[in-house]
Amino acid sequence: MTKFLTTKFPRVLLIIVLVFLGLLLALQARNSLHWRMEQDTPLLHYAAFLMNEYDAVPYRDIFETSMPGTFFFHGVIGRLFGYSDPAFFIINLVILAFMLAAAFHFMARFGKTSALFGIILFGLIYFGKGQTIILQRDFIGLFPIVMALLLIPVEPEKSVSFTRFALMGFLLGTASLFKPQLAISLPIFLFYFLWLRRRNQPHPKLLRGLLITGAGFLLPIALSLLWLWANGALKAFLDIFWNYLPLHTGLSGGHEAIRGSERILYLVRNTIRVGGYPTLLLCAMIVAGWLITKRKETSGKFASIWFLLALTAAYMIYPILGGKFWSYHYLPFAFFVSLSATLCITLFFELQSNNRNGLALLILAIFLGSLFLELDPVKYTQNVVADITPDAAAHAPKQGRVDELAKWLESNLPQGDTVQPLDWTGGSIHAMLIAEAKLATRFMYDYHFYHDVSNPYIQGLRETFIKELETAQPRYIIQVIENKPWVSG
């Protein structure tokens, strides 16, 4: 009986939990097909609408801080599939499926049970944040990074070709086109690739690997800059990048302009909260402690675990680089900490094989406890079951404001006339997308005008906006005052 409780029962329990969480993820994925896009994504979808329907060019014709890769992504979706919610969420499922498949392929070297737990855990975390987080830029930019995991040999004793160096650089460069700071993992990938080549190749030619990676990394960036130059938008992009972005990143997550020591305290205070994933981080730290006890172990498998933990640490500090700590900024960290935490299962099996059942059960209890605290399975299940029946009203963006505005515009906006929103994420731009209303000026948002108001650049933006508004003479101006973020400080 004692042997059953310490050996077989924990394994049966793992299978039961895994099956339950897998079914929960499948149901939540199905439910997402009747969600609605919300928050930042409809704004970027509207920019893609202007690009595809009115030949607008980002930065030149649309004042936006998002990077070129974001506009390319949304532009392709709009041109191929339109701007509907169902198409948007089907594409989300396709992208997520590829990411989870790639993650499983990488994690399978540590055991298929760990791999399945890792990808299911992240999928549940992702869907658990609701429709506002779907296909946010941090998630889209994570996709090429996850694809780069496929370049790492399943058998770490196998050498890494220079072709893989080039592809790795290209994928990380592509990720930087969504957010430059996503490339924080480039040195980690490069170091690991160089280590693999030096370990398994008689003549590693490390300098060549370094140069090839750099060339691959710069290629997508150069192509995007060339596209901007060809469309007369490079000067506008560089102007926003060098002059406005430093002011934008100076805003806190609460949209307050803070500087100096106050900003340092703000960054430290939010960093130590680790995005709300402390229990999963604890599991990853247990794995790291286990590796330290195996410091004399030089096998490729253990190097792969160190590589994964290094990526987890990098994306834990990643939000600092943008100065914001919103939930979607932690999606890359959530992904890698989910994979790292589930290595506790690998550790559990190893301890069991060495007849250290007591410690194995402790590790398993900590891991399952972290899952319970992170996901709250009871509440999560209730939410999934409640969402099984499609209810349009339940998912209406901004509590119905978007649909109300869109309906009004469709009934009252003459064809060819323009609209100017004085808004940000308050719903008016989403309504303009649904109603296919054309923007009057370069400015989709008004928050640019309300922070750092003594700065000459912001003053210039205000003057430019007023001049463009006077010239455009829009049919309607939509001003949103309530239930939208305001900047201060």
Side-chain angles (χ1 to χ4, degrees):
M1 183 66 178
T2 302
K3 185 177 180 181
F4 172 78
L5 291 175
T6 57
T7 57
K8 293 186 178 180
F9 176 73
R11 294 174 181 244
V12 173
L13 179 62
L14 276 175
I15 294 173
I16 293 172
V17 173
L18 184 62
V19 171
F20 170 73
L21 295 180
L23 290 174
L24 203 60
L25 177 60
L27 278 174
Q28 189 71 307
R30 173 191 174 277
N31 288 345
S32 72
L33 292 176
H34 61 257
W35 287 1
R36 303 278 301 278
M37 68 178 84
E38 198 169 352
Q39 204 67 15
D40 293 344
T41 47
L43 313 184
L44 296 166
H45 236 40
Y46 179 68
F49 164 76
L50 295 176
M51 292 165 57
N52 292 332
E53 305 303 324
Y54 293 102
D55 297 322
V57 179
Y59 317 115
R60 187 193 72 186
D61 304 315
I62 306 169
F63 189 91
E64 242 287 353
T65 58
S66 297
M67 292 294 107
T70 304
F71 294 111
F72 176 81
F73 175 80
H74 284 271
V76 169
I77 290 179
R79 188 170 293 278
L80 295 180
F81 307 105
Y83 309 96
S84 70
D85 290 301
F88 186 79
F89 283 94
I90 289 173
I91 290 167
N92 171 65
L93 289 183
V94 172
I95 291 175
L96 179 63
F98 274 101
M99 286 178 62
L100 297 186
F104 179 83
H105 177 78
F106 174 77
M107 290 292 293
R109 69 195 68 194
F110 311 122
K112 292 184 179 179
T113 305
S114 298
L116 286 171
F117 263 104
I119 64 174
I120 291 173
L121 174 58
F122 174 72
L124 289 171
I125 289 173
Y126 179 58
F127 284 121
K129 301 297 181 182
Q131 60 192 36
T132 60
I133 208 168
I134 299 300
L135 289 187
Q136 286 280 5
R137 286 159 290 184
D138 303 78
F139 178 77
I140 305 167
L142 176 63
F143 179 77
I145 298 171
V146 176
M147 292 301 107
L149 296 177
L150 296 175
L151 300 173
I152 298 172
V154 175
E155 300 174 357
E157 284 69 30
K158 184 179 179 181
S159 183
V160 181
S161 68
F162 287 127
T163 301
R164 297 194 184 207
F165 276 86
L167 289 173
M168 179 268 291
F170 181 83
L171 289 169
L172 271 291
T174 301
S176 73
L177 292 180
F178 293 93
K179 284 196 172 180
Q181 59 266 38
L182 278 169
I184 190 175
S185 59
L186 177 64
I188 299 171
F189 271 93
L190 180 59
F191 179 84
Y192 187 50
F193 275 43
L194 292 174
W195 180 85
L196 286 172
R197 188 164 180 88
R198 185 175 184 274
R199 184 173 184 267
N200 303 311
Q201 194 80 5
H203 305 288
K205 301 178 181 178
L206 301 183
L207 180 59
R208 182 181 296 181
L210 181 65
L211 293 175
I212 289 174
T213 301
F217 179 80
L218 293 174
L219 179 59
I221 298 173
L223 290 174
S224 67
L225 294 177
L226 182 63
W227 180 84
L228 291 174
W229 173 79
N231 286 275
L234 181 59
K235 182 178 179 181
F237 168 74
L238 294 176
D239 176 63
I240 294 172
F241 189 86
W242 293 115
N243 296 312
Y244 179 72
L245 267 183
L247 301 176
H248 176 73
T249 55
L251 294 174
S252 71
H255 318 297
E256 181 181 8
I258 53 176
R259 303 288 187 270
S261 60
E262 185 182 3
R263 179 169 176 78
I264 294 174
L265 288 174
Y266 158 77
L267 294 175
V268 171
R269 185 169 58 249
N270 282 277
T271 299
I272 60 178
R273 293 172 180 168
V274 294
Y277 302 103
T279 58
L280 295 182
L281 182 61
L282 172 63
C283 291
M285 292 172 66
I286 289 173
V287 173
W290 168 53
L291 282 183
I292 291 173
T293 66
K294 301 278 188 177
R295 58 184 176 274
K296 294 183 179 180
E297 177 65 60
T298 59
S299 73
K301 177 181 175 180
F302 282 85
S304 295
I305 298 176
W306 277 121
F307 166 72
L308 181 59
L309 291 173
L311 291 176
T312 303
Y315 287 106
M316 182 179 72
I317 64 173
Y318 156 80
I320 298 176
L321 303 179
K324 310 291 190 298
F325 297 89
W326 298 328
S327 58
Y328 57 79
H329 294 142
Y330 275 99
L331 282 176
F333 174 64
F335 178 84
F336 286 109
V337 80
S338 295
L339 301 186
S340 297
T342 54
L343 290 176
C344 280
I345 298 174
T346 304
L347 175 55
F348 163 75
F349 285 131
E350 176 169 310
L351 291 171
Q352 270 204 336
S353 66
N354 293 328
N355 293 318
R356 301 178 67 183
N357 293 323
L359 184 56
L361 289 175
L362 176 62
I363 298 297
L364 182 62
I366 292 173
F367 172 70
L368 293 178
S370 73
L371 284 186
F372 184 85
L373 291 173
E374 175 56 44
L375 296 176
D376 192 352
V378 175
K379 185 178 179 180
Y380 203 112
T381 303
Q382 290 173 344
N383 292 336
V384 170
V385 172
D387 201 27
I388 286 176
T389 302
D391 183 355
H395 300 290
K398 305 301 174 185
Q399 296 77 48
R401 173 193 286 172
V402 168
D403 294 328
E404 183 180 0
L405 278 171
K407 184 178 179 180
W408 192 91
L409 285 173
E410 289 171 337
S411 301
N412 294 277
L413 183 65
Q415 187 174 5
D417 277 2
T418 60
V419 178
Q420 179 59 49
L422 295 178
D423 188 15
W424 183 13
T425 56
S428 63
I429 302 163
H430 193 175
M432 290 170 64
L433 171 65
I434 295 172
E436 299 185 351
K438 185 179 180 182
L439 182 67
T441 70
R442 291 173 60 212
F443 299 93
M444 292 199 299
Y445 323 128
D446 64 346
Y447 78 90
H448 311 297
F449 311 129
Y450 303 132
H451 67 91
D452 297 285
V453 292
S454 62
N455 187 286
Y457 188 82
I458 298 298
Q459 293 174 352
L461 289 182
R462 292 160 69 108
E463 292 175 4
T464 300
F465 172 64
I466 293 300
K467 290 178 181 177
E468 290 187 12
L469 195 63
E470 290 174 344
T471 301
Q473 293 290 305
R475 170 69 64 170
Y476 300 114
I477 295 176
I478 304 176
Q479 184 177 24
V480 176
I481 297 175
E482 297 179 347
N483 298 321
K484 82 165 187 176
W486 289 91
V487 295
S488 62

